[in-house]
Amino acid sequence: MIKAAIIGAGAIAGVHAEAFIRFPELCEVRAVCDIYVEKAQDIIEKHHLNQAKAYRTMEEAIEAEDIDLVSICLPPSAHADNTVKALEMGCHVLVEKPMANSLEECDRMIAASERTGKHLSIVCQNRFKTPMQRIHKMLQDGVGGRVTHAVVNSLWWRGENYYDLWWRGTWATECGGSFTSHSVHHIDLLLWMIGMPDSVTAVMKNVGHHNSELEDVGMAILEYPETFAHIGTSIVDYGEAQEMIFQTEKGRLSIPWSPASATPLPNGFPKQDEAYEKELDDIYHSIPELELEGHPAQIKNLLLAIQGKEPLLTDGREGRKAIELIMAIYKSSALRQTVALPITEEDDFYRKETMIQKMPHFFEKTKSIENFTSTEITLGRDVGK
Ligand SMILES: NC(=O)c1ccc[n+]([C@@H]2O[C@H](COP(=O)([O-])OP(=O)(O)OC[C@H]3O[C@@H](n4cnc5c(N)ncnc54)[C@H](O)[C@@H]3O)[C@@H](O)[C@H]2O)c1
């Protein structure tokens, strides 16, 4: 039986709790930790974690309960040090997105996992959804031919008071606005589907969140050898339209699914190709639906990987990719230049301290509260349709 601990009892902790309790034959949550120990106790009671005790610190919980696996659900600036500490204390680690605040932190986490031989998995719950799996497989199989253009609209909405929480809205504690905290989901999916680009050109602004140093809208153009992808990020978009469109030589593959194809009329204008659209639709639906999706599916994979029964699907190296692209996006928008990948160790954008010196403060954070009264959250609107 794998003994698990949830570290950080805020908004996302309940999602981890609900995922763990689906697998009573594989694991048991023995501890929930928070600097506000009453929040840990609330999670235990709300999710009926009957075997769990509340602790104030991760170290205390790991030692007292002989923990095998920790779920790090802490603010982003606390991910790297706590991950390394937990790995060194002999635990496997699942860490929430974004993996860390910098590539240097990611590399420290990966090195600790390799040194200790313990699993490190980064939450990428959207990879574990049927539409994403189907489009991923179709792209890997080359359905439709070469990708000629990709469009990612990663559009979200958050009120001004979202940034009142103490750790949000500064480079030091959140280390990124909508690209990092929201569009990291779509960036992870894009890189999983079509890989890392050669270079990035990006711009960003803060148009509506006055209690935050960070961006709330932005655009990034990714250049690949034979195509471009563009990513729009925002947390000012009512309706939170979210889509990923991959144009191939023969037809459109997209999330949400809406196949399209055409043949040229004698003048080059499009004539809908219903036969090929049907072929795409048949291929799409022939790829089986997942029985489990999201956090539960990812957590099941990690539990089985710990038992040596499945390969781990989302390790530290996979999680690092989105951070690398986001750092290139920040470098491009801060320096107003096109940035080539990879970002090397000598680059100012490899380390948090040197990176944040280069970043604009769109506004200064002047209001800060320790906790919200509600921990209710939504996890993206169309991302899994
Ligand atoms: N995968 C997703 O869709 C998703 C959704 C929401 C949040 N997240 C991520 O989850 C992480 C946590 O976000 P949240 O919204 O739950 O934040 P939150 O502020 O609601 O919760 C974090 C908790 O950690 C506690 N804490 C802070 N430092 C601590 C420490 N050193 N030891 C113990 N407890 C400590 C805080 O008191 C707080 O209760 C972030 O990285 C966020 O990006 C992921």
Side-chain angles (χ1 to χ4, degrees):
M1 181 67 65
I2 296 166
K3 287 168 276 172
I6 298 172
I7 317 300
I12 201 65
V15 175
H16 287 241
E18 286 300 314
F20 280 122
I21 59 179
R22 283 173 174 242
F23 311 110
E25 71 293 358
L26 294 173
C27 71
E28 208 164 66
V29 178
R30 289 285 186 89
V32 180
C33 302
D34 203 287
I35 42 175
Y36 300 96
V37 76
E38 64 280 7
K39 290 180 76 175
Q41 192 58 43
D42 284 351
I43 292 279
I44 290 173
E45 285 164 22
K46 188 170 170 196
H47 300 281
H48 309 291
L49 303 175
N50 299 330
Q51 313 301 322
K53 289 198 197 117
Y55 291 89
R56 195 171 300 277
T57 73
M58 179 180 80
E59 293 83 342
E60 243 184 294
I62 293 175
E63 277 172 9
E65 302 292 336
D66 193 20
I67 295 297
D68 303 304
L69 165 64
V70 302
S71 256
I72 305 260
C73 299
L74 297 171
S77 62
H79 288 187
D81 287 351
N82 284 287
T83 296
V84 171
K85 171 66 74 66
L87 288 164
E88 284 175 345
M89 289 181 79
C91 298
H92 303 283
V93 177
L94 174 65
V95 59
E96 263 297 344
K97 65 80 192 159
M99 177 173 176
N101 282 171
S102 72
L103 290 169
E104 179 271 330
E105 291 184 353
C106 293
D107 287 343
R108 260 196 299 129
M109 294 158 78
I110 293 166
S113 162
E114 291 175 353
R115 194 167 60 242
T116 57
K118 297 290 172 184
H119 285 301
L120 167 62
S121 181
I122 316 305
V123 172
C124 316
Q125 82 264 25
N126 294 301
R127 291 192 190 191
F128 296 82
K129 290 189 176 162
T130 297
M132 287 50 168
Q133 293 276 336
R134 286 175 166 168
I135 296 298
H136 179 258
K137 177 153 180 21
M138 289 170 86
L139 289 168
Q140 301 315 300
D141 291 350
V143 171
R146 188 164 55 81
V147 173
T148 52
H149 185 205
V151 177
V152 176
N153 284 317
S154 182
L155 308 179
W156 309 68
W157 191 90
R158 293 291 180 268
E160 281 241 40
N161 55 345
Y162 176 80
Y163 282 104
D164 292 352
L165 192 61
W166 66 269
W167 61 263
R168 292 201 184 121
T170 74
W171 291 105
T173 50
E174 193 173 11
C175 207
S178 56
F179 273 120
T180 295
S181 290
H182 298 83
S183 300
V184 66
H185 290 294
H186 292 100
I187 288 171
D188 171 67
L189 291 169
L190 181 73
L191 299 180
W192 181 50
M193 304 236 185
I194 62 170
M196 197 63 103
D198 295 334
S199 67
V200 178
T201 311
V203 288
M204 62 192 205
K205 275 190 198 308
N206 181 323
V207 297
H209 292 85
H210 298 93
N211 194 31
S212 165
E213 297 170 2
L214 314 169
E215 82 283 3
D216 65 3
V217 294
M219 284 161 213
I221 298 164
L222 281 51
E223 185 160 4
Y224 291 83
E226 291 188 294
T227 187
F228 291 107
H230 57 97
I231 304 171
T233 184
S234 151
I235 50 167
V236 299
D237 274 56
Y238 293 102
E240 300 195 311
Q242 294 171 5
E243 58 182 357
M244 302 185 73
I245 302 170
F246 299 93
Q247 298 292 349
T248 69
E249 290 165 293
K250 290 183 66 186
R252 161 190 152 123
L253 313 179
S254 67
I255 303 161
W257 178 238
S258 177
S261 185
T263 51
L265 292 166
N267 64 357
F269 278 63
K271 177 174 185 298
Q272 186 179 359
D273 187 342
E274 289 178 16
Y276 192 63
E277 286 178 359
K278 174 154 188 337
E279 200 177 317
L280 288 177
D281 203 42
D282 289 345
I283 298 170
Y284 181 84
H285 287 102
S286 72
I287 302 166
E289 284 189 27
L290 296 178
E291 285 172 20
L292 263 183
E293 293 198 328
H295 281 82
Q298 178 164 357
I299 284 177
K300 185 174 185 194
N301 168 250
L302 174 58
L303 294 170
L304 291 173
I306 291 170
Q307 291 193 335
K309 294 181 180 155
E310 275 188 11
L312 184 65
L313 296 176
T314 53
D315 62 9
R317 290 188 187 282
E318 281 301 293
R320 183 192 192 278
K321 290 177 183 170
I323 304 299
E324 181 162 27
L325 186 66
I326 289 168
M327 289 305 145
I329 287 172
Y330 286 155
K331 180 175 179 183
S332 172
S333 65
L335 306 186
R336 298 212 163 248
Q337 67 187 33
T338 296
V339 169
L341 287 146
I343 303 274
T344 62
E345 285 184 32
E346 294 71 43
D347 198 302
D348 284 343
F349 286 76
Y350 178 80
R351 283 186 172 70
K352 179 175 175 179
E353 301 70 38
T354 43
M355 172 252 176
I356 66 179
Q357 283 169 13
K358 305 266 180 204
M359 298 311 295
H361 284 206
F362 291 107
F363 297 97
E364 295 306 328
K365 183 171 166 94
T366 54
K367 185 173 177 200
S368 185
I369 59 169
E370 288 189 7
N371 285 296
F372 286 126
T373 48
S374 158
T375 52
E376 193 183 324
I377 58 169
T378 52
L379 297 184
R381 197 167 140 146
D382 288 336
V383 78
K385 279 190 193 158

